[in-house]
Amino acid sequence: MFLIYLRIFVVGGVICLCGQVILNTTKITTAKILVLFLLLGAILEVSGLYKYIIAFGKTGATVPITGFGSLLARGAIENASKHGIIGAVSGGLESITLCLSTAVFLGFIAGLITKSKTKK
């Protein structure tokens, strides 16, 4: 059981470490890194490699933004085979609905609990 948790921690940590290294060594903004990782997850899903990363790292691979890109691509691929181009768009959106709803709800709760500060 401990080794499963260790694998989850290592895989999630490596993904985050890659983002931090890119942030520290280049002038790429955080928004561009976010998009880069989202696209990387989608590309790895389309190529069939991300399923192996998920099999090894479990939630360590699905929770970061690369997992979100993978989920988006997987839904688009599954529905595209059934309904064509419209299915690709709707399938991607269907697969991420729970993620987006949760993020909006928790962001709202965090906004109620915390006090915002303006930068000086």
Side-chain angles (χ1 to χ4, degrees):
M1 189 67 143
F2 174 74
L3 291 178
I4 293 172
Y5 290 137
L6 183 64
R7 286 192 325 213
I8 291 168
F9 178 76
V10 168
V11 170
V14 166
I15 292 170
C16 294
L17 177 68
C18 291
Q20 192 65 45
V21 167
I22 293 170
L23 185 63
N24 290 348
T25 58
T26 66
K27 293 186 179 185
I28 298 175
T29 63
T30 53
K32 290 180 181 176
I33 294 171
L34 179 93
V35 171
L36 176 72
F37 276 43
L38 182 89
L39 289 174
L40 180 65
I43 290 167
L44 287 172
E45 180 65 38
V46 169
S47 67
L49 296 175
Y50 209 71
K51 64 182 174 186
Y52 298 113
I53 298 171
I54 291 172
F56 179 77
K58 313 231 184 290
T59 56
T62 58
V63 170
I65 193 69
T66 52
F68 185 77
S70 167
L71 184 64
L72 185 64
R74 188 177 323 126
I77 291 167
E78 288 172 0
N79 265 6
S81 62
K82 297 176 189 172
H83 306 290
I85 191 74
I86 299 297
V89 174
S90 66
L93 293 175
E94 279 179 24
S95 66
I96 62 169
T97 303
L98 180 62
C99 297
L100 288 178
S101 301
T102 304
V104 169
F105 177 73
L106 293 177
F108 176 73
I109 297 299
L112 291 176
I113 295 172
T114 61
K115 182 177 179 185
S116 63
K117 298 178 184 176
T118 57
K119 280 188 160 183
K120 294 181 181 182

